[in-house]
Amino acid sequence: MTRYPDLYVLRHGETAWNAEGRLQGHLDSALTTEGRAQAARQAGILRNIDLSGADLRSSPQGRAWETARTALAGRGPIRSEPLLREIGVGAWAGRRRDDIAATWPVPIEGFELYEQAPEGEGFAALEARCRLLLQRLDRPTVLVTHGMTSRMIRAIALGLGRAGVADVDGGQGVVFHISNGVQNRLE
């Protein structure tokens, strides 16, 4: 298994579209009051962790960037990292999960939505993008990203690859620390 520097992986806080069950992909919706509180909780979790010398990176998408500004306030410069953007969901961006499932010709739910999205990115491309990002890291790094991208990064770092995406838990308002191939959920 490939070893990576210590990683602290954060998912952005809840957005209006998360609350509505909409797929966002490369689109954006604003953080809710709860989403801003989740980012503040992440700041509290990171407060007691020595991040001196760590690389701080965030997806350039608004919901992640706003989370990063709150969670990493005063910790140093945050670099915009396009490889951290959320998986593309093509024509399904902005649509409600329930509406997609109701109109799709075969039963579809959960992670299958991301693989079947017309004109979407798919898991193979997301995995390649996340592997490229991880290969470029050379020191402890904080990554502020999105739900599926977070899962893929962590699945790769844990040696599970894309087949393990469904086996790593999600979570907003928490921090996932991965060191030497072991993940800890910090709350």
Side-chain angles (χ1 to χ4, degrees):
M1 179 168 74
T2 304
R3 296 286 183 205
Y4 301 100
D6 276 16
L7 300 174
Y8 295 89
V9 183
L10 290 67
R11 179 184 178 192
H12 64 75
E14 179 191 67
T15 68
W17 282 10
N18 290 149
E20 295 172 9
R22 292 184 186 279
L23 295 176
Q24 292 179 100
H26 294 164
L27 298 181
D28 237 337
S29 70
L31 293 183
T32 62
T33 301
E34 176 61 19
R36 289 188 293 280
Q38 290 166 338
R41 278 198 297 277
Q42 290 168 322
I45 294 165
L46 293 173
R47 187 170 298 123
N48 297 320
I49 298 172
D50 181 7
L51 295 176
S52 55
D55 193 4
L56 311 177
R57 298 184 187 199
S58 175
S59 162
Q61 291 176 262
R63 59 195 187 269
W65 193 254
E66 183 178 351
T67 300
R69 284 193 338 254
T70 299
L72 298 171
R75 301 307 290 259
I78 303 166
R79 294 178 30 193
S80 177
E81 176 55 74
L83 294 173
L84 288 171
R85 71 186 184 281
E86 181 60 304
I87 188 171
V89 292
W92 288 350
R95 294 195 52 203
R96 289 177 29 87
R97 293 170 180 272
D98 292 347
D99 294 341
I100 294 166
T103 60
W104 197 245
V106 294
I108 187 169
E109 59 184 43
F111 297 122
E112 190 65 20
L113 286 169
Y114 296 94
E115 194 64 34
Q116 297 297 321
E119 303 163 23
E121 182 175 9
F123 286 125
L126 177 63
E127 180 182 32
R129 176 163 50 92
C130 291
R131 283 190 185 281
L132 178 62
L133 169 74
L134 289 169
Q135 290 166 2
R136 292 179 176 176
L137 302 181
D138 61 359
R139 58 185 164 143
T141 304
V142 179
L143 302 171
V144 183
T145 188
H146 308 269
M148 293 312 301
T149 305
S150 166
R151 286 174 185 262
M152 184 65 77
I153 288 168
R154 292 181 291 120
I156 293 167
L158 295 171
L160 305 173
R162 96 173 144 237
V165 166
D167 297 328
V168 294
D169 61 334
Q172 292 169 308
V174 300
V175 175
F176 295 98
H177 176 225
I178 300 173
S179 182
N180 296 317
V182 176
Q183 174 179 272
N184 287 299
R185 180 182 171 119
L186 308 177
E187 299 186 52

